[in-house]
Amino acid sequence: MNHTFEFLTVTVAIINALLIVVALFVVPSNRRPSSGMAWLLFIFLAPIIGFIAFLILGGRYLPRRRRNRHYEVKKALQKYVARWARKSAPSVPRVPDERLASAIALGRNLGAFPMMGGNTFSLHSLYNETFVEMARAIDGAKKFVHMEFYILVRDKATEPVFAALARAKKRGVEVRVLLDYISTVRNPWRRRTQKTLEDMGALFRYALPVRPWRGEYQRPDLRNHRKILVIDGTRGFMGSQNLIDAHYNKHANRRRGLSWKDLTVQVSGSAAACLDAVFATDWHAETGELLQHTLAIDPPVAAGGGTAMQLIPSGPGYVNENNLQVFVALIYAAKRRVWITSPYFIPERALMIALKAATARGVEVTIFVSEVGDQPVTYYAQRSYYEELLLAGVRIFMYRPPYILHAKHFTVDDDVAVIGSSNMDSRSFNLNYEVSMLVQSADFVRELDRVNATTIAHSRELTLREWQSRSVFVRLVNNLARLTSALQ
């Protein structure tokens, strides 16, 4: 018995030592130092458990077939994007600032979409009314409707959208729907939603499915976090709002009175065509079908020049962190102010340095977050950055409960803004498929400022004195949560 115990002890010790040595070679390769150190610490403390977790969650690449499909459709899209760009080119305003011009060029080179003019827009910040606007747009569809949502559920709030989809299908309109796989299968409303789509005859697919028994597998915590609705390639919706009740159909949220505050932008013109190109990319990745007949539609150009917009897709299918790089470049281009709204704010080091550099040169930096959170680990992790931000001169406004501020946008000075699905955290920069829109328009910023004014009215400002008086226990929880956020 003793010999058996000693043998097992020695065997486990040897395995642990080998795993640690292997980890030193494998983990840091092409990985951010903070992420590498977090994984190594985990493996050093629990070699077998840590290494298994790394094998499951530490992979940074998509399967070869998915990567190849991404490159195929990206190449096929070039001619369509070039045509839209030529048509809208006369409506694109001159960029007066060299740094801003560099940020726009960066977005073009990373995401493949140039700045395009001739667009119109409207912002929707009232949750249920956004669904009514979507339904109204779907009722005008003549050829196709494309939907892609991280969370898509048929419930009482979203019924107008599903009813409009059914009417469109009866008119002979093509309806295609993409749903994130993991968020769908863990939703108790999934069967009702799936049956509704099946009954109306919609084509729907799961994005990033984790079904090894079907040969479908990639890192399981990758998500398609985009929220896109496109009608006929000429009108579109995007932003932070999922297609679900404002309480997310959770009894705990209703008991606490929590509801989500989001922001969606409706666009028409080349921006809508670019949104459809993003949908076509994701549809091709899941089905192998290239939707060239839908991409061949010419979007309208608004009279009088319209609004200049540039789409910035990002995610594991791209070599670089498109959203992070463009966001950082825009912050360095700021001269007067940077206002950021993000429910999950865990800044990469490059982003933190850019924000501190902005305040150091006299730029007003303001961040809007929720006072309460729905994702405990992320909520506590982001709070670990508050002291560093406050010491740097960043103002932090916390949106009061019973609301979760879920909108994702920021403004730079008075004529540049970004809106989309991307949070300011490592998950959105590294693991999630996101889509953001860079807008060069003083009118758009004025509209966004009206939204910001409402946010300020419902928020309270966090002071350095208040934050430094927090308990030792709170500091410990925040710091531990911060360590877990580096495990990417």
Side-chain angles (χ1 to χ4, degrees):
M1 185 68 178
N2 289 335
H3 291 297
T4 301
F5 179 77
E6 291 175 1
F7 174 77
L8 290 175
T9 302
V10 172
T11 301
V12 170
I14 292 173
I15 292 173
N16 287 345
L18 288 174
L19 291 177
I20 290 172
V21 172
V22 172
L24 289 171
F25 285 93
V26 174
V27 172
S29 179
N30 297 318
R31 191 179 301 273
R32 297 189 315 279
S34 59
S35 176
M37 287 299 296
W39 274 114
L40 287 175
L41 179 61
F42 186 14
I43 293 171
F44 288 173
L45 292 175
I48 296 176
I49 296 174
F51 204 83
I52 292 173
F54 176 77
L55 291 176
I56 296 173
L57 301 175
R60 304 180 67 248
Y61 300 105
L62 293 168
R64 184 182 299 276
R65 184 179 69 172
R66 187 176 289 274
R67 295 202 307 271
N68 289 341
R69 284 182 173 179
H70 178 83
Y71 296 140
E72 287 170 7
V73 73
K74 185 177 179 181
K75 185 177 180 180
L77 287 174
Q78 289 177 355
K79 64 179 180 179
Y80 300 107
V81 173
R83 188 184 72 233
W84 303 331
R86 285 194 302 270
K87 185 176 180 180
S88 69
S91 303
V92 178
R94 184 182 67 86
V95 183
D97 183 86
E98 183 178 343
R99 284 190 171 183
L100 177 58
S102 296
I104 293 172
L106 180 64
R108 167 70 178 87
N109 293 333
L110 294 177
F113 294 103
M115 181 70 74
M116 300 187 194
N119 299 287
T120 61
F121 73 89
S122 59
L123 293 176
H124 303 291
S125 59
L126 299 178
Y127 201 95
N128 286 347
E129 287 188 15
T130 299
F131 296 144
V132 174
E133 290 297 326
M134 288 180 175
R136 184 177 292 119
I138 293 170
D139 279 333
K142 294 180 173 60
K143 296 183 178 180
F144 65 86
V145 176
H146 291 161
M147 297 182 67
E148 178 176 350
F149 280 85
Y150 175 59
I151 300 175
L152 188 148
V153 172
R154 181 196 166 193
D155 55 30
K156 185 176 180 180
T158 63
E159 184 61 38
V161 177
F162 282 88
L165 288 175
R167 290 192 294 269
K169 197 70 184 70
K170 287 183 179 180
R171 296 194 306 271
V173 173
E174 297 178 3
V175 176
R176 295 181 179 86
V177 180
L178 272 174
L179 311 83
D180 180 77
Y181 177 76
I182 296 295
S183 68
T184 300
V185 297
R186 68 185 186 187
N187 193 299
W189 295 65
R190 66 184 181 277
R191 287 189 174 85
R192 177 184 179 183
T193 302
Q194 180 175 323
K195 187 176 187 305
T196 300
L197 294 172
E198 289 173 344
D199 289 346
M200 74 173 67
L203 295 174
F204 70 94
R205 295 291 186 275
Y206 291 117
L208 299 169
V210 182
R211 296 181 289 201
W213 58 93
R214 295 189 182 183
E216 299 171 337
Y217 185 81
Q218 60 277 318
R219 178 171 169 169
D221 61 337
L222 300 183
R223 299 284 189 276
N224 190 318
H225 196 243
R226 293 167 176 160
K227 293 93 177 172
I228 296 173
L229 169 61
V230 182
I231 297 94
D232 292 339
T234 60
R235 288 170 293 166
F237 293 77
M238 65 166 294
S240 64
Q241 186 165 328
N242 287 298
L243 204 75
I244 191 172
D245 174 87
H247 306 284
Y248 277 52
N249 294 318
K250 292 183 178 180
H251 296 300
N253 291 340
R254 293 183 184 278
R255 186 173 62 252
R256 296 170 64 190
L258 290 182
S259 61
W260 269 236
K261 294 290 291 184
D262 281 283
L263 187 64
T264 298
V265 60
Q266 180 179 1
V267 298
S268 65
S270 55
C274 292
L275 279 173
D276 198 42
V278 173
F279 175 89
T281 301
D282 293 342
W283 185 262
H284 181 66
E286 304 304 340
T287 67
E289 178 189 9
L290 181 58
L291 303 174
Q292 298 201 50
H293 67 292
T294 69
L295 296 170
I297 294 176
D298 268 335
V301 175
T307 303
M309 297 177 167
Q310 179 184 34
L311 211 65
I312 304 169
S314 57
Y318 296 87
V319 176
N320 301 290
E321 299 162 327
N322 299 0
N323 44 0
L324 174 61
Q325 291 202 46
V326 174
F327 294 173
V328 168
L330 288 172
I331 293 170
Y332 277 115
K335 296 179 179 178
R336 193 176 72 81
R337 63 160 172 158
V338 175
W339 286 13
I340 298 174
T341 300
S342 178
Y344 313 119
F345 188 85
I346 303 178
E348 294 278 343
R349 198 61 197 161
L351 182 60
M352 178 65 83
I353 292 172
L355 293 173
K356 293 168 75 170
T359 58
R361 63 178 186 270
V363 175
E364 175 194 348
V365 178
T366 303
I367 297 173
F368 301 98
V369 295
S370 284
E371 187 168 3
V372 297
D374 66 308
Q375 302 288 340
V377 175
T378 302
Y379 173 72
Y380 291 117
Q382 78 175 26
R383 291 160 68 89
S384 71
Y385 292 89
Y386 287 176
E387 185 167 3
E388 185 177 358
L389 290 165
L390 291 167
L391 286 170
V394 175
R395 300 180 71 186
I396 300 175
F397 285 86
M398 300 191 301
Y399 204 79
R400 294 180 182 273
Y403 298 103
I404 297 291
L405 183 61
H406 193 247
K408 310 159 200 299
H409 54 83
F410 72 96
T411 56
V412 177
D413 298 335
D414 296 322
D415 53 0
V416 176
V418 174
I419 184 171
S421 65
S422 179
N423 297 301
M424 293 285 186
D425 68 350
S426 55
R427 168 164 287 281
S428 284
F429 295 144
N430 296 286
L431 302 180
N432 287 347
Y433 280 92
E434 307 282 5
V435 62
S436 304
M437 186 176 287
L438 171 58
V439 185
Q440 185 188 352
S441 165
D443 290 339
F444 191 93
V445 172
R446 278 192 289 271
E447 290 295 317
L448 208 51
D449 279 345
R450 292 189 179 96
V451 175
N452 288 331
T454 302
T455 300
I456 291 173
H458 287 85
S459 303
R460 71 176 186 87
E461 186 170 4
L462 179 66
T463 66
L464 179 61
R465 182 176 180 180
E466 174 191 346
W467 192 241
Q468 289 183 331
S469 66
R470 67 196 187 281
S471 69
V472 173
F473 177 74
V474 170
R475 292 171 186 262
L476 176 62
V477 171
N478 293 341
N479 290 336
L480 289 175
R482 180 170 178 163
L483 288 177
T484 65
S485 70
L487 291 173
Q488 305 291 347

